[in-house]
Amino acid sequence: MAPAARLDASLWSDYAELYGESLADLAGDDPVRAARVEERLYATPLTHGFLQGHMVHESLTSNPAARLHVGRIILDRLVRLSEAVGAGRVQSREHGQTQFVLDGLDALFAAIEDRIGSDLTPPRQAGELFGVQLAKGTFSDRHFDGIYGALRAHRIARDFGIRSPALLEIGGGSGHLAYYARRMGCERFAIIDLPPVLVPQYILLATAFGADVVGFGHRSEPGIALVNAYAGGADRFADWDVVINIDSMPEMAPADAGRYLDRIRPGGLFLSINQESAVQNGDHRQNVVADLARDRGFRCHARMPAWLRTGWVEEVFQAP
């Protein structure tokens, strides 16, 4: 049973209103309605805001310009992933290279798999997801984000002498990072997230690995734990070697983002791939992760432009 959303005067009320019908169908007694939600997962409000969702799906189905725009984003992310892992050469504008010439997308993806050393077949959960169709399945930009994030978390752990890292992701979005981390050999993974978002994550991950591997709440045995950010025990960060946040900490309330960093165990590693725009966000400006980490005495081991997204920063910190 998925954890229920809180009903209060915060964003939870909006979540309950937006997701309510889909959640009710999944939790109800009609298996047909529940199956329908799973079959159309990325065309429902359950994935709004982090992987397509009902509004984007409607636009993609009716608007060729929207399909072209999203298609370009996905292909750009694929090419950037190939550059990041050395499967493709980085283009040099200084030498007049302003266009990519690809021999074939499947060949490029096979080269990425070869460089990483893992089978990167996507999850079986398709759910009416728009993406690039390769021989191995349909891929969105979030697939490629997940592949890169899982790879970096593993390599960072290895660089610090951790052979079998336990990984924790703050805000797991679509669940693809957790999926690919397990495919790359991670035996213990946890996502801490808002309760409604845990539901599509569970559908994707349990479909891929089985309900015995994926569960709600903390677990000490190997597998994937989906943890309600507002439930008791959500502060148990001491069990994890590398904590990961991609594309969400700047948008959190400053106090919430700070509390997450405060929970990382002494000496624990933190991988952040986020933007630093600091734009106005309601009654406060968006967080800059480097500032939050610096204020808490974190040591920055690496800082570089993010490979997959222009204007984003990848950083590796260690808690004091």
Side-chain angles (χ1 to χ4, degrees), residues 34-47:
R36 180 64 174 160
V37 172
E38 293 187 24
E39 290 167 2
R40 304 188 68 250
L41 183 62
Y42 303 112
T44 72
L46 280 176
T47 53

Side-chain angles (χ1 to χ4, degrees), residues 277-294:
S277 66
V279 298
Q280 195 68 30
N281 186 25
D283 60 355
H284 63 275
R285 289 195 173 275
Q286 288 194 356
N287 306 302
V288 175
V289 175
D291 292 344
L292 293 172
R294 192 179 299 116

Side-chain angles (χ1 to χ4, degrees), residues 160-227:
F160 280 82
I162 305 169
R163 296 178 59 86
S164 299
L167 306 178
L168 168 67
E169 186 177 13
I170 301 169
S174 58
H176 286 93
L177 196 155
Y179 170 83
Y180 281 112
R182 186 164 179 86
R183 289 200 72 103
M184 294 179 194
C186 177
E187 295 185 355
R188 293 191 62 226
F189 196 102
I191 297 173
I192 182 167
D193 216 327
L194 308 177
V197 184
L198 296 176
V199 176
Q201 292 166 3
Y202 177 84
I203 292 172
L204 182 145
L205 295 167
T207 300
F209 303 119
D212 57 327
V213 172
V214 186
F216 293 104
H218 283 280
R219 56 190 292 157
S220 55
E221 67 274 15
I224 301 173
L226 303 177
V227 182

Side-chain angles (χ1 to χ4, degrees), residues 39-162:
E39 290 167 2
R40 304 188 68 250
L41 183 62
Y42 303 112
T44 72
L46 280 176
T47 53
H48 176 72
F50 59 89
L51 184 52
Q52 198 168 276
H54 61 305
M55 295 174 66
V56 174
H57 179 268
E58 182 179 352
S59 177
L60 289 169
T61 346
S62 60
N63 187 346
R67 292 196 294 275
L68 180 61
H69 172 70
V70 174
R72 284 173 173 166
I73 291 173
I74 296 170
L75 288 175
D76 178 72
R77 207 67 57 86
L78 170 60
V79 171
R80 287 171 181 255
L81 176 62
S82 76
E83 294 174 338
V85 302
R89 290 183 290 108
V90 176
Q91 302 293 296
S92 172
R93 288 184 176 271
E94 291 187 21
H95 295 84
Q97 295 177 330
T98 57
Q99 295 181 340
F100 294 102
V101 179
L102 303 175
D103 293 332
L105 296 182
D106 286 315
L108 182 64
F109 191 72
I112 292 171
E113 288 186 309
D114 184 62
R115 294 291 296 182
I116 292 176
S118 295
D119 178 358
L120 302 176
T121 299
R124 297 193 304 274
Q125 222 307 318
E128 295 196 20
L129 179 65
F130 178 85
V132 58
Q133 183 66 46
L134 302 181
K136 288 206 164 182
T138 301
F139 292 82
S140 72
D141 52 317
R142 295 303 190 184
H143 287 76
F144 302 133
D145 288 340
I147 291 169
Y148 180 79
L151 177 67
R152 288 296 294 136
H154 275 283
R155 289 187 173 174
I156 290 165
R158 181 193 64 192
D159 291 345
F160 280 82
I162 305 169

Side-chain angles (χ1 to χ4, degrees), residues 262-279:
D262 291 337
R263 296 168 181 170
I264 297 176
R265 65 174 172 79
L269 300 169
F270 174 50
L271 168 63
S272 166
I273 304 178
N274 283 291
Q275 47 86 8
E276 297 185 321
S277 66
V279 298

